[in-house]
Amino acid sequence: MTFGFAPASTTSLITAAGGSARHGRRLEPSEWTAAGIPLLRNPREVVSGLHSRHGPVPSTAVIAVLGPEERLVASASFVQRSASADGWDYRNALLSRLRRVLPHDLRRRTPVRTAVLLYCRDGDEQWTEEDGAWMWGLRDACTLHGLRCGAYITLTRGGWQVLGEGRGGRQPSSESRPQRLGDTAAEYAPFALRTGGGAAEVLRRTAAR
């Protein structure tokens, strides 16, 4: 896949205090590709399922954890109010949501579940510094939660795209209305958590959004 780069005026994120571009923790497209991120078997179904559940609008991030056969284990969405070129900010936001919906897997020798990130934003499908920061944040959050780092997907007016895989589609897009979950809901039914308290109920509510 050949990554495009937006003009500097759109990729440079300006801080309110200093008025200069922040050069923080982020991954370049070549670094992401070289990381060996596992390919999604059916990205269209994953994207459509998350879009139906969360109905993301621009500036919305959807973090999802997939188990065997790409079945959805848990997911959560949130609006990122301010853009940042520093993945540290995004790592903290992602890790906070993961901890709310899913116990960590740090006791396992190797990860058995995979986290993917769908980010709905303005602009086109070209890679931006903000995408690089989200990639860094996703990778680091997965490490700290005992998960395998999975795909980073952008959702724009032109459709969706799995960065680094060269796969995408026109629907859904950032302007699409969420489709009601129908017969495909069973394919994305969340696993039951073997935890005490209200964790399982929180998972059910979050995954059903």
Side-chain angles (χ1 to χ4, degrees), residues 56-57 59-63 76-80 94 117-120 134:
V57 297
S59 298
T60 301
V62 181
I63 181 71
S77 62
F78 60 97
V79 175
Q80 186 65 24
L94 293 170
L117 177 61
L118 172 70
Y119 183 54
C120 182
W134 278 114

Side-chain angles (χ1 to χ4, degrees), residues 128-140:
T128 66
E129 289 184 356
E130 186 183 12
D131 292 327
W134 278 114
M135 289 171 169
W136 191 98
L138 174 62
R139 186 185 66 176
D140 213 46

Side-chain angles (χ1 to χ4, degrees), residues 17-32:
S20 60
R22 294 179 64 186
H23 299 287
R25 284 148 284 212
R26 61 177 179 265
L27 294 177
E28 298 292 331
S30 58
E31 295 175 303
W32 183 256

